[in-house]
Amino acid sequence: MSRLIKPAAYQALLDVRQTEQGIKLIKDFFEQNLSTELRLHRVTAPLFVLKGLGINDDLNGVERPVTFPIKDLDDACAEVVHSLAKWKRLSLAEYQIEPGYGIYTDMNAIRADEELDNIHSLYVDQWDWEAVISRADRTVAFLKDVVRRIYCAILRTEYLVSETYPQIRPFLPKKIHFIHSEELLKKYPGMTAKEREDAVCKEYGAVFLMGIGGNLSNGEPHDGRAPDYDDWSTPTEDGFEGLNGDILIWYPVLDRSLELSSMGIRVDKESLLRQLKLAGKEERKSLYFHQQLLGDHLPLSIGGGIGQSRLCMMLLQKAHIGEIQASIWPEQMREECRQLGMPLI
């Protein structure tokens, strides 16, 4: 497979049974740390939502959700979620969560249009979280503080894994570096967006890349982001500052950068209207979610998703996400991975 990265002399550090035990260890420990750091309580989440309410995550706006008719609702169409970015904010209002507190849940999704490789699967599992904030918290400084808290939870989990399995040696840096996507473009002007991510992660080890979704000085966004959940940027005297971003690390097993989390301060009424106009999606204003936000029925919030299989893959130093989760893979990829010593579940 042309998209398959084939690390030279790869050898799994844990056997299948140890891997399953390690996955359980990581998920239990990190989930508890995330909950404690951000003061979140667990809630139950849907696997699917009704089409046409504006609740499903639109990702880059081109991915097709898996759909099916509901017999008892006159064949109304349901969509398997892409993520719970908007549903969580509705839930904050429903649960009447106070500022400074939030919720988290296990999000399971199917992304049928995903291009399959070492880190992308049809099946997506992540911790989706959302917390209520005040108007004064809608700042870059507040966003950075939350990112550092999440990164500290990742570091603690890495230490636990290395203590439990001494053959796995920690490699993450002690601090995460912050950089705006515009600054990154100026730093590496001749590179593609993905090449810029690889370069900055190789330099710093762990990076929070801010300001994703809006156009940069080259007329292009660093990456796609739906216009109606993250606040891409906020006007300042010097231009724009990003209020969202991705946690990226340099992953030596695959010799590339690896995204662990996408997150950000969510849109308020003003930024929602601005971003819908920029994206040419102003018709969404009539949808249920958007009406709730524009009608002041939803709290200000910050939130994101943290890949469960991705985090386990990284901390257990696996070369393919299929060594962590059960999914569907092309037979050619399965055979190549078997020959390379990374059998897929």
Side-chain angles (χ1 to χ4, degrees), residues 18 28 43 139 161 224 226 246 258 272-274 301 310 318:
Q18 289 174 317
D28 288 348
V43 298
T139 66
V161 171
D246 293 339
L258 184 66
L272 172 66
L273 293 173
R274 181 177 71 245
S301 68
R310 281 269 184 98
K318 299 291 187 177

Side-chain angles (χ1 to χ4, degrees), residues 159-179:
Y159 175 75
L160 175 65
V161 171
S162 67
E163 285 291 288
T164 306
Y165 305 105
Q167 65 269 43
I168 297 178
R169 304 189 64 178
F171 64 89
L172 293 174
K174 300 304 179 188
K175 294 183 179 180
I176 188 167
H177 179 75
F178 294 87
I179 188 169

Side-chain angles (χ1 to χ4, degrees), residues 120-139:
H120 295 97
S121 169
L122 299 174
Y123 170 61
V124 178
D125 56 340
Q126 63 185 32
W127 291 284
D128 252 324
W129 64 274
E130 198 85 10
V132 178
I133 61 175
S134 67
R135 174 66 61 177
D137 291 330
R138 301 189 81 256
T139 66

Side-chain angles (χ1 to χ4, degrees), residues 43-277:
V43 298
T44 301
L47 177 60
F48 39 82
V49 294
L50 282 174
K51 182 179 180 180
L53 297 180
I55 298 175
N56 203 357
D57 181 359
D58 296 292
L59 299 177
N60 293 315
V62 297
E63 294 87 351
R64 299 169 300 169
V66 175
T67 62
F68 60 92
I70 305 172
K71 180 180 178 181
D72 269 6
L73 293 182
D74 295 325
D75 281 346
C77 188
E79 295 180 342
V80 175
V81 297
H82 278 148
S83 87
L84 298 170
K86 300 169 189 172
W87 176 88
K88 292 176 297 180
R89 197 165 178 185
L90 292 167
S91 296
L92 289 178
E94 182 179 348
Y95 285 106
Q96 298 182 328
I97 303 297
E98 296 293 324
Y101 296 87
I103 59 175
Y104 77 94
T105 191
D106 290 297
M107 191 284 296
N108 297 284
I110 301 172
R111 296 183 182 173
D113 289 336
E114 199 71 80
E115 294 186 354
L116 307 181
D117 57 24
N118 298 66
I119 64 172
H120 295 97
S121 169
L122 299 174
Y123 170 61
V124 178
D125 56 340
Q126 63 185 32
W127 291 284
D128 252 324
W129 64 274
E130 198 85 10
V132 178
I133 61 175
S134 67
R135 174 66 61 177
D137 291 330
R138 301 189 81 256
T139 66
V140 172
F142 181 83
L143 174 64
K144 288 181 176 180
D145 179 66
V146 173
V147 170
R148 291 189 184 99
R149 289 172 178 268
I150 294 172
Y151 188 67
C152 284
I154 293 173
L155 287 179
R156 285 194 291 272
T157 310
E158 182 189 44
Y159 175 75
L160 175 65
V161 171
S162 67
E163 285 291 288
T164 306
Y165 305 105
Q167 65 269 43
I168 297 178
R169 304 189 64 178
F171 64 89
L172 293 174
K174 300 304 179 188
K175 294 183 179 180
I176 188 167
H177 179 75
F178 294 87
I179 188 169
H180 192 280
S181 54
E182 179 65 36
E183 183 183 352
L184 189 67
L185 175 63
K186 293 177 180 177
K187 185 177 177 68
Y188 306 109
M191 296 183 180
T192 65
K194 182 64 185 66
E195 289 170 343
R196 296 195 294 270
E197 289 183 4
D198 286 345
V200 74
C201 286
K202 192 168 186 178
E203 180 177 355
Y204 293 104
V207 173
F208 186 68
L209 180 59
M210 299 182 291
I212 297 176
N215 284 348
L216 304 177
S217 59
N218 63 355
E220 301 175 355
H222 177 83
D223 200 358
R225 194 72 60 115
D228 40 16
Y229 55 95
D230 281 352
D231 192 333
W232 297 342
S233 58
T234 182
T236 69
E237 292 181 359
D238 301 321
F240 290 89
E241 288 186 333
L243 288 179
N244 72 346
D246 293 339
I247 296 177
L248 307 165
I249 60 102
W250 179 252
Y251 191 42
V253 175
L254 296 179
D255 198 34
R256 56 158 291 168
S257 61
L258 184 66
E259 179 189 323
L260 298 179
S261 175
S262 173
M263 58 174 288
I265 291 173
R266 306 310 197 184
V267 289
D268 58 8
K269 288 194 296 186
E270 292 74 22
S271 55
L272 172 66
L273 293 173
R274 181 177 71 245
Q275 291 178 184
L276 287 177
K277 185 175 182 179

